[in-house]
Amino acid sequence: MSAFKEFPIRWGMVIDIDKCTGCGACTVACNKENNIAPQPQQLERIAGKGFPTRFKKLEWLTVYELSNGVQGSGHDTAYLPRPCMQCGMPSCVSVCPATATDKNENGGIVSQIYPRCFGCRYCMASCPYHARVFNWDQPVYPDGMEKQLTPNVSVRSRGVVEKCNFCHHRWMYAKDAARVAGEDPNALPEDAYIPACAEACPTGAIYFGDVKNPEHKVYELIHSPYTFRLLERLGTDPQVYYMSKREWVRRQGDNYLENEAGPVAHGNGGLHG
Amino acid sequence: MDRALWPEGVERCSLGKFLLWLGFVGVILAAGLYEFFMILVPDGLARTALDNYFGFGLWITFDLAVIALGAGAFFTGLLKYILDIKELEKIVNLTVIVGFICYSGAMLVLALDVGQPLRSWFGYWHANVHSMLTEVMFCITCYLCVLAIEFLPNILENRKLNEIPYLHNLAHNMHVVMPLIAGLGAFLSTFHQGSLGGMYGVLFARPYILRDGFFIWPWTFFLFVLSAVASGPCFSVLVVKIMELLTGKQLVDYKVKALMCKIAGTMLCLYLFFKFADTWAWATDVLPRSGLTWDQMFNSDLGYGEWLLWVEIGLCGVLPAILLMVPRFRNTPALLYTAAILNCTGVTINRYVFTVQALAIPVMPFDQWYNYVPNWAEWAPSIGVLAYGALLLSLSYRYLPVFPQEIELNYRKQAPAAPAAPVEEPKEAEEATATA
């Protein structure tokens, strides 16, 4: 297992589950921003050839529906958008045989080098969040859509694994803009760089920023007693945080058993808050 | 002409009958090759039942299983050439061929299983030294080369090829260095078998298979090596038995088979000791600290029940260990072969649960169990590899001196069916004189 790497900037996302309505705007924005070919057409193409389509969908950000399991009037649901967790100790990086995925850039975003990936899918097997998806078929864009593709996002070929990268190209844009304005590209102000999902969320449930920078909202949010991370006990140290005032939601975040003391308050936002 | 290629002094079926058999094998092979082509060229892996949940499926299970079963090659080579157990020379040729088939077949399937086969060499060029899969890639490639080197002298001993002085001498000299090659093979294969286990043991986010804790290796590294050497020799014995049934001849003395199985049984006992300890440590340590329970690891409705574990270590573990270790049972052919089948089944189940069940278990509490059923696009290449193995074994048996005991066991009282090969000593003596 590769060692944990520390960076001066640690981009983090805080998703307020209590605000999320499960509308899926984040998923749509993500697909659009990252040049993911329209999925109904992709899946129709696969199904049209008589091949199975279950979980062959390409989606970097999936919205899960959570339930408290109570029947009747006490029933409660919540929605949990799941991008790549950009883990501090990524389970995917140490396993990749070709170093196609790595966590080596300031900001702590787990990269994915598509032209180097040869599609062994070991990273997918290692990720408990199902955050990585495989390109089962060649992407086919409808006529005219090529004009709408995001220029600085590579179009992936068949047979490689892909994943969310916090819209890394937007960070590049933001740093360029800061340089042009004579500002420090390594001290971006709040909202100078936000991924498409955070920008598109109609309820403002997704916050984004440097979790090490006290001037960013996420710095404060990750210290909230209502903040938790998915599967913390596995030791992956995610850079995506979730918030909920509902205890059953927080307990579900890390497989807490009925009789087990739950995550009352982390307070420190994990290892690196 | 066909008869002239047979090993000296043996009898084979008619060429027509042999071609008919090859035709049957060829049809299955062709079906596999068809799917092979369709996946590699027009359709890609979309053709398979694999998906984002089950990136590893039948092919990886198949690979892991055949590589474990192919461990008879390196282990028998080690025992024969390094530890000098002479009895094993009567079966070592076959174990090498079986090993070569298993490893080359696994590599064929692996080439198919990756999304970008033309980039497979990136694993060597951009090697990630932290990845167990990198070690697997290097070791499997090197070991396949070693197996090819081990197989080559046997090919060169074909009667017609052996008449060529250069090839004759080459084969002879290769035999001389074979202990070194066997040692190298044992080293590479140990690490390869171990790394295959390590591949899963290091997945710290998948608590079903996580086994951290022994220096740089997870426990699964050693469990995979032990289970492979416990089942590989049994598989070689089963291959001999199948060949005996198909050819109607006795090819290896029962004493040798019993010895192979005794060695396998000893290894199986050792493996089971560690496997039980490992299962206990997993249940009481790994699972609780991951926030998961024993019950969460199994789902009987979808076929991932606890019964798989008990079948693996009980019915296909403890039972064959007893049958193989008690002389009275081991010396009863029916019980010996039953034990060998159970042993090989056990290791296959083990590889299956590490590959498929491990991915089926929902680690996120709001995730669900899903079933995985491989489709024809996956079965066909796998069965095609078995046909490839049958083809290679058939050709080897017919034209190469694979079984040194064959004549003794079958033709002792008969005159040699094939004409005797030219006497070679004078030629060697001639060469020696020339050199001098």
Side-chain angles (χ1 to χ4, degrees):
Chain A
M1 185 188 309
S2 54
F4 179 82
K5 288 179 184 171
E6 188 64 81
F7 303 100
I9 297 173
R10 185 174 160 92
W11 294 116
M13 187 177 276
V14 179
I15 302 174
D16 190 336
I17 290 181
D18 295 344
K19 283 185 180 175
C20 178
T21 61
C23 70
C26 48
T27 303
V28 175
C30 172
N31 288 2
K32 175 68 193 67
E33 180 74 15
N34 292 295
N35 297 336
I36 295 173
Q39 289 304 289
Q41 290 187 3
Q42 286 288 105
L43 295 176
E44 272 172 30
R45 190 178 128 88
I46 297 175
K49 289 184 172 183
F51 308 149
T53 58
R54 190 189 70 161
F55 301 127
K56 285 202 166 91
K57 194 175 178 180
L58 270 178
E59 201 172 78
W60 292 4
L61 190 157
T62 299
V63 180
Y64 286 89
E65 184 177 351
L66 277 55
S67 165
N68 67 348
V70 176
Q71 300 291 322
S73 60
H75 183 241
D76 193 11
T77 57
Y79 296 95
L80 185 139
R82 191 244 50 226
C84 172
M85 297 286 129
Q86 318 295 348
C87 305
M89 282 287 285
S91 55
C92 52
V93 166
S94 57
V95 301
C96 175
T99 332
T101 184
D102 201 0
K103 189 180 178 79
N104 61 357
E105 191 185 12
N106 195 12
I109 297 172
V110 177
S111 63
Q112 177 74 356
I113 308 170
Y114 303 118
R116 191 183 287 177
C117 173
F118 64 92
C120 72
R121 302 185 299 285
Y122 192 14
C123 56
M124 290 167 67
S126 72
C127 177
Y129 305 107
H130 302 296
R132 288 173 169 264
V133 286
F134 187 68
N135 244 310
W136 299 98
D137 196 17
Q138 199 67 27
V140 178
Y141 298 94
D143 286 344
M145 192 176 165
E146 70 276 5
K147 293 171 190 168
Q148 299 178 28
L149 294 177
T150 307
N152 285 357
V153 176
S154 56
V155 173
R156 285 75 57 187
S157 65
R158 181 179 97 181
V160 301
V161 175
E162 50 184 74
K163 66 177 268 296
C164 152
N165 56 19
F166 276 175
C167 292
H168 185 275
H169 57 286
R170 289 189 168 208
W171 185 22
M172 299 295 113
Y173 296 156
K175 284 203 283 192
D176 286 348
R179 287 189 191 100
V180 169
E183 294 163 3
D184 181 2
N186 289 320
L188 296 175
E190 179 90 40
D191 295 342
Y193 155 45
I194 55 168
C197 54
E199 186 180 49
C201 179
T203 60
I206 305 179
Y207 303 88
F208 187 81
D210 178 7
V211 296
K212 289 186 156 187
N213 187 342
E215 292 173 13
H216 288 197
K217 178 84 173 163
V218 290
Y219 177 87
E220 176 197 333
L221 291 176
I222 65 166
H223 291 88
S224 162
Y226 303 116
T227 302
F228 66 98
R229 294 186 292 180
L230 274 184
L231 308 176
E232 283 212 56
R233 278 187 285 196
L234 293 185
T236 55
D237 188 29
Q239 283 174 217
V240 174
Y241 298 76
Y242 292 94
M243 288 182 75
S244 180
K245 290 189 175 173
R246 289 172 281 181
E247 195 188 351
W248 70 265
V249 174
R250 297 200 303 276
R251 288 179 67 86
Q252 277 203 7
D254 201 9
N255 285 309
Y256 283 90
L257 303 175
E258 286 287 323
N259 55 354
E260 192 179 9
V264 180
H266 290 296
N268 61 1
L271 287 174
H272 307 283
Chain B
M1 177 60 197
D2 180 56
R3 176 174 282 264
L5 292 169
W6 296 356
E8 190 180 336
V10 301
E11 183 61 57
R12 297 286 180 258
C13 66
S14 69
L15 184 63
K17 201 172 170 185
F18 185 61
L19 289 177
L20 201 65
W21 163 249
L22 288 191
F24 169 70
V25 171
V27 168
I28 301 170
L29 190 59
L33 286 174
Y34 171 76
E35 287 296 334
F36 217 91
F37 173 79
M38 294 305 283
I39 290 166
L40 283 182
V41 185
D43 296 333
L45 294 171
R47 202 174 168 85
T48 66
L50 296 167
D51 55 38
N52 292 329
Y53 266 69
F54 294 97
F56 289 177
L58 174 71
W59 287 336
I60 301 293
T61 308
F62 180 82
D63 280 354
L64 293 176
V66 296
I67 282 175
L69 297 173
F74 93 86
F75 194 52
T76 312
L78 178 81
L79 297 172
K80 154 77 175 70
Y81 292 108
I82 311 292
L83 300 183
D84 204 23
I85 302 179
K86 290 209 183 304
E87 279 298 285
L88 298 179
E89 72 188 0
K90 291 156 189 167
I91 199 170
V92 75
N93 286 345
L94 178 80
T95 61
V96 166
I97 298 170
V98 170
F100 179 80
I101 291 167
C102 288
Y103 274 74
S104 54
M107 284 194 85
L108 284 172
V109 172
L110 279 178
L112 190 66
D113 196 16
V114 297
Q116 291 276 347
L118 293 178
R119 294 183 194 167
S120 297
W121 59 280
F122 285 9
Y124 309 98
W125 195 254
H126 302 289
N128 174 13
V129 296
H130 298 288
S131 174
M132 283 283 178
L133 188 52
T134 303
E135 190 177 323
V136 168
M137 288 178 72
F138 273 88
C139 285
I140 195 173
T141 312
C142 295
Y143 185 51
L144 184 62
C145 295
V146 167
L147 280 170
I149 292 169
E150 288 183 334
F151 188 12
L152 194 60
N154 199 233
I155 296 172
L156 298 180
E157 277 170 7
N158 170 271
R159 261 173 70 188
K160 283 292 165 193
L161 290 177
N162 209 245
E163 284 172 8
I164 302 165
Y166 175 77
L167 297 183
H168 170 80
N169 290 328
L170 182 64
H172 175 74
N173 285 317
M174 288 184 84
H175 277 303
V176 172
V177 296
M178 212 42 79
L180 177 69
I181 302 291
L184 189 63
F187 175 80
L188 287 169
S189 191
T190 302
F191 274 87
H192 168 51
Q193 298 279 359
S195 302
L196 281 175
M199 265 183 70
Y200 293 91
V202 295
L203 298 186
F204 64 93
R206 296 281 183 182
Y208 183 66
I209 44 181
L210 171 68
R211 300 289 195 281
D212 49 358
F214 194 80
F215 296 119
I216 60 166
W217 293 292
W219 283 112
T220 46
F221 185 98
F222 305 98
L223 289 175
F224 267 52
V225 175
L226 281 175
S227 57
V229 296
S231 57
C234 279
F235 184 66
S236 299
V237 168
L238 286 176
V239 171
V240 174
K241 184 63 194 168
I242 292 168
M243 290 178 78
E244 285 179 345
L245 289 173
L246 286 173
T247 59
K249 295 190 178 72
Q250 200 185 342
L251 302 173
V252 175
D253 192 3
Y254 187 79
K255 278 182 190 167
V256 178
K257 294 178 197 164
L259 176 63
M260 288 282 278
C261 285
K262 185 183 175 185
I263 293 166
T266 311
M267 292 293 121
L268 186 59
C269 290
L270 191 63
Y271 165 70
L272 284 173
F273 173 78
F274 287 112
K275 177 68 180 173
F276 278 109
D278 167 78
T279 306
W280 178 77
W282 166 71
T284 57
D285 175 37
V286 175
L287 287 183
R289 74 179 139 97
S290 306
L292 296 165
T293 64
W294 174 276
D295 289 339
Q296 283 176 300
M297 299 293 104
F298 303 98
N299 183 324
S300 296
D301 295 340
L302 292 178
Y304 304 117
E306 218 176 286
W307 61 270
L308 263 175
L309 178 70
W310 302 126
V311 167
E312 180 200 330
I313 59 179
L315 182 64
C316 299
V318 176
L319 180 61
I322 294 168
L323 293 178
L324 294 173
M325 288 313 291
V326 177
R328 198 162 57 119
F329 298 146
R330 188 171 63 238
N331 291 326
T332 310
L335 292 179
L336 178 123
Y337 295 125
T338 305
I341 291 169
L342 288 175
N343 190 359
C344 295
T345 308
V347 83
T348 307
I349 293 174
N350 177 265
R351 299 324 191 233
Y352 165 79
V353 297
F354 266 74
T355 306
V356 175
Q357 183 160 348
L359 299 184
I361 296 163
V363 183
M364 292 192 289
F366 43 82
D367 210 350
Q368 289 177 44
W369 280 90
Y370 290 103
N371 204 359
Y372 158 76
V373 181
N375 66 5
W376 177 242
E378 293 160 82
W379 280 114
S382 306
I383 297 169
V385 165
L386 297 182
Y388 152 78
L391 177 71
L392 220 59
L393 270 177
S394 305
L395 291 170
S396 301
Y397 169 69
R398 190 172 178 86
Y399 298 118
L400 306 179
V402 178
F403 299 104
Q405 282 187 304
E406 187 184 349
I407 297 170
E408 179 195 338
L409 294 173
N410 298 282
Y411 311 108
R412 194 183 287 165
K413 290 173 187 169
Q414 300 167 19
V423 182
E424 286 157 357
E425 277 74 17
K427 202 181 281 180
E428 275 179 356
E430 247 172 54
E431 284 163 16
T433 317
T435 315

